[in-house]
Every structure is written in structure tokens, then in C-alpha cells.
Amino acid sequence: MFLLLFSSIIAIGQNTTDSDSNILTHICRKGVFEIKYNKEHWQKSNDISKWDVEFHDTHNLVDAYFIEYDYFVSKKNLKSTIKEQYKELGKIKNLKIYDKKINEMNVNYFECELEFNNSTYIFQGFLYNGKGGTMEIQFGVQEEALKQYQAYIDEFCGGIKMIK
């Protein structure tokens, strides 16, 4: 009886420690990916949009958008797929796509600029062909805030993992 009580107290203490942590986890809709994010830097949005889930920093200066597609995006269609996403907002410039490794995933990382409402926005992110289709994450930030928030973007990318 004493052991049962003692182990329950220890378990409650571990849960309290975990709940006091600044790291939250979001399991994506297909159950293939998880996103661990620092709640002091990022907040999950409750707004409904075409994206599976959206996040923003605590000052609403940088946004993160995540989606899982039920199909694969081939390397030859990367540029046209990315350009298509921004066509309603304006014309993108300086689109660069390169290979990058993020948490054991070989991804197609992209960076581009978008002129919108007399401001320049920087978008970056990646597409990954994995289980069940393509996963995409992208970040949008005004050009003036990019240097200040690049560490948050890198931190967020570091928290995206495939669930094995």
C-alpha cells in the first residue's frame, strides 16, 4: 500500500514538472508529425484557415503555417507550388530553394520576398515528402523584423519531428 501511494506521489510530481515546462506539443492531424514549441515564444492560433494549424509569436510579428497534403509535391513542381500560394497576395521575388537537413528529414527549404501593402515580407519554410504525402511549414515576417525573429524560426523548425 505504501509503495502504491509513494509511486502515485512521484507520478503526480512528474506531471506537475512537465506541465510547468515552457514546451508544448501539437500532434498534426495525420499523427505523422509533432511540433514542440516554446509557449513563451509561440502561441497556437484558434483561427480556422486553409492551413492545418497556425502559430504566431507573442508580439504577432512572425507567423508559422503548417499543412499536410494528401499528395506528394515533386522537386520539379516546387517553384510553381510555392508561387501559386502567394499569387493572391502579390508577386514573389528572389525565390531560392535548397536542400537542408532538419531533425533527420531531408527537406526542400525555400526563402523568398513578397511586396504587399507597401512593405516587404520575407517568407521561408520547407516542404517534406514523407508518410502519406507532403508536409509544409512556412514562416512570414516583415523584412525589418527578420533578424530579430530568425532565432525563433530556427527554434520552431527544431521542434518539428516525425513520429516514428
Side-chain angles (χ1 to χ4, degrees), residues 24-72:
L24 297 176
T25 301
H26 172 79
I27 304 296
C28 300
R29 72 178 163 87
K30 290 185 175 184
V32 177
F33 298 96
E34 72 177 11
I35 303 172
K36 291 189 179 220
Y37 60 98
N38 184 335
K39 68 181 181 184
E40 288 186 356
H41 298 161
W42 293 96
Q43 297 173 354
K44 189 164 79 167
S45 176
N46 293 324
D47 296 338
I48 297 172
S49 75
K50 68 177 188 170
W51 298 91
D52 291 345
V53 65
E54 295 181 23
F55 299 85
H56 57 84
D57 75 294
T58 54
H59 302 291
N60 280 324
L61 293 174
V62 63
D63 294 306
Y65 308 96
F66 179 92
I67 194 165
E68 290 174 295
Y69 301 111
D70 294 329
Y71 54 88
F72 296 100

Side-chain angles (χ1 to χ4, degrees), residues 7 20 39 58 72 82-84 88 95 105 108 114 118 134 144-145 164:
S7 63
D20 291 341
K39 68 181 181 184
T58 54
F72 296 100
I82 294 167
K83 287 180 178 181
E84 179 72 20
E88 292 178 19
L95 175 60
M105 297 182 293
N108 297 297
L114 175 75
N118 297 320
T134 298
E144 295 81 4
K164 299 199 179 195

Side-chain angles (χ1 to χ4, degrees), residues 50 81-92 114-117:
K50 68 177 188 170
T81 298
I82 294 167
K83 287 180 178 181
E84 179 72 20
Q85 293 175 340
Y86 298 105
K87 75 179 186 181
E88 292 178 19
L89 299 175
K91 187 174 180 177
I92 64 170
L114 175 75
E115 294 294 325
F116 181 72
N117 287 340

